[in-house]
Amino acid sequence: MKLNCDMTMDLVALYQDGLASESTNEAVESHLETCARCREYYKSYRIAKPFQEEFLTVQEREFAEVAKRLRARKLWKRIFTCSYILASIAAMMVLWLRLQDEDEFDVYHVK
Ligand SMILES: [Zn+2]
């Protein structure tokens, strides 16, 4: 399959994202080997692609914001859970140490 420059530039996005078929990949690659202009376009496309804020749509930005908040909330939940468990263990240890000293904790036996 022989591609012209317009077709190649249209297909570069699919090629880059790995969504093009094997024959399309080969056609794009063979055109990129011979055409400097399309190679430049492909390079600039590759640089622009990785998640840069200005390339995100409004919905994607909102989703990223929500995901960030959820991650933060999850982190705080974990911190709270760990603190709660540690505080419980500490309280049990204090109670256990006090129970070791029977005289101090002998509340059930009237003297
Ligand atoms: Zn070209």
Side-chain angles (χ1 to χ4, degrees), residues 14-41:
L14 294 176
Y15 173 75
Q16 171 66 24
D17 292 343
L19 300 171
S21 68
E22 195 59 43
S23 60
T24 304
N25 285 341
E26 283 166 17
V28 169
E29 280 163 13
S30 73
H31 184 88
L32 289 176
E33 279 170 22
T34 58
C35 177
R37 197 177 131 219
C38 288
R39 247 193 334 265
E40 266 324 295
Y41 177 79

Side-chain angles (χ1 to χ4, degrees), residues 32-98:
L32 289 176
E33 279 170 22
T34 58
C35 177
R37 197 177 131 219
C38 288
R39 247 193 334 265
E40 266 324 295
Y41 177 79
Y42 176 58
K43 266 190 220 161
S44 67
Y45 182 83
R46 268 191 2 204
I47 292 165
K49 191 75 210 303
F51 283 81
Q52 287 179 13
E53 285 271 325
E54 64 259 37
F55 292 99
L56 296 177
T57 64
V58 175
Q59 284 92 349
E60 285 171 331
R61 237 172 277 188
E62 281 173 7
F63 179 80
E65 194 60 41
V66 170
K68 202 166 134 188
R69 254 183 275 148
L70 285 176
R71 273 197 302 271
R73 195 182 292 176
K74 209 167 159 187
L75 180 69
W76 279 112
K77 263 188 200 166
R78 281 192 191 146
I79 291 171
F80 177 78
T81 306
C82 286
S83 312
Y84 184 79
I85 290 169
L86 287 175
S88 302
I89 290 171
M92 277 193 266
M93 282 174 75
V94 168
L95 202 61
W96 184 75
L97 287 173
R98 285 206 177 167

